Amino acid sequence: MRFTFLCRVSGVFLFFALFSAFFLDGNGIYTGILAAEISAEKPSVGNFSVEKGSDREIFTESVSESEKTESGNLDSDREKDSRPNVIFILADDLGYGDLSCYGQKHFQTPEIDSLAAEGMKFTQFYAGSTVCAPSRCSLMTGFHTGRCYVRGNKWDAKNESDLPLPEETLTVGKVFQNAGYKTGMFGKWGLGKPGGAGDPENLGFHEFFGYYSQRDAHNYYPPFLYDGKTKIELDGKTYSHDLIEQRALAFIRANKERPFFCYMPVTIPHAAMQVPEEYMKSWREKFSEYEHVKNKYSNAEEVKNPVAAFPAMMTRLDETVGKVVNLLEELGIRENTIIIFSSDNGTHAEGGHRPNFFQSAGELRGIKRDLTEGGVRIPMIVCWPRRVKASEVNPHIAAFWDFLPTVCEIVGEKVPENIDGLSFLPTLTGNDPKQKTHEYLYWEFYEGGGKQAARWNHLKGIRLNVFKNPEGPIQVYDISKDIHEDKNIAEEHPEFVEKFEQIFKEAHIPSAEFKLRKK
């Protein structure tokens, strides 16, 4: 074990960095706790004003010229900057019914349930897509998949990476940086490679740790992870989630004196049903009838009893949420921190996971790669003490592309005019009369023959096999009465079909990378 301490003094400020303990084996392979620098760097906070009586008035203040430093930036003193920290924990392939606060009966998620009890639980919130990369692109950029740059899980052979976001893309990370926040991303990125245009450090994140590529993230015991652009060799026996959690907690601790955005796109409970045995033991006993079952996913090792592994993974994820909350309380910043918990898309049926057994989609139909509700409707919990009403169950219809404009309003940045998202801050703060609503939500998907779908009022429209038949039949479901999308009412209501036809044409903008109409 070794500890490294770095201190430097500049003027009256003491800059120090405390590195957490880490272990190296005899071959120099990284196996332990990650080093995390604590930065006392000043944030850059622009001058902004708050309209009297607006939602932002409750947590921001107008900054006078006299409070600005010569460089135009504010001192990081919390008394001068009361804007909230934001932590977004994004689970991977977690279904609408995979939390006990959303109806899960086979296991409990008490820490996440506590967030819901102390904050707002959305019942009609939607992912950006039904798979990883486009959903995360939508979350980061404020565009739906009819207009965003990354519209599918696509490997860019030329760059040997997932299709990267262009470096000039405005992202949520850049919005926070422009507002003077310290930004960190810990987990799976999936939108570019180290040093490339899509590197998160080029797209608004001061710190990055985890997986660049979603392909690498298929294994929870990987041979390496990245700390920024530095490749960290691992021993193949270290559970990646542990390292991601440790680094995120270190980032929060390091930035307790200044506003920060901590983005945690963790990889649990993706398709490799891997988790340390200490979490498996009790679940093996509970689901002992599946001890003979073995399965594996992608490049991960084979797992015995993947049925038991799933609740074990969920227990580990729930534990992480509890650690985040406990740290905020320890640091005395819980009340000034927004915690968001969600998932990138619906549940999966890979690696031995049995979504029907666990009812992972709840009462919804479909899973990952479907555009029925089970593929895109997701849990969404927002906890913000004293700002968001406790135990609020809210039916407001929103989606990932609404996150960026919501962030803009929270931190005092101008909302871009050309995006698809609408801020849901009025809903969070109880100012519902000011809440704008979408005419429709839209998705397009480039697997399974090509698919389009839209949510319009209480109706859902879906077109399949778009590649072969771009003008093919549209299924219509009244999800206010038929949440499982069993009864297609298209023939009874041609006017609804006509409306969805109009939406599909209007929402889709041609892409050079993704061809919805293939010849």
Side-chain angles (χ1 to χ4, degrees), residues 103-118:
Q104 179 56 237
K105 302 300 183 185
H106 289 280
F107 55 85
Q108 299 294 305
T109 51
E111 300 293 347
I112 299 171
D113 294 355
S114 292
L115 286 184
E118 296 172 20

Side-chain angles (χ1 to χ4, degrees), residues 16 27 29 50 68 88 130 150 157 172 174 221 248 263 268 277 323 340 346 350 405 421 446-447 459 481 499-501:
F16 64 91
N27 297 316
I29 297 177
V50 181
K68 299 173 71 177
F88 197 130
T130 187
V150 178
V172 168
K174 287 183 179 180
Y221 292 94
Y263 176 42
I268 293 176
E277 186 60 32
K323 288 182 180 181
I340 302 170
E350 299 165 321
Y446 291 78
E447 297 179 31
L459 300 173
K481 301 175 182 178
K499 177 62 178 180
F500 281 112
E501 183 76 57

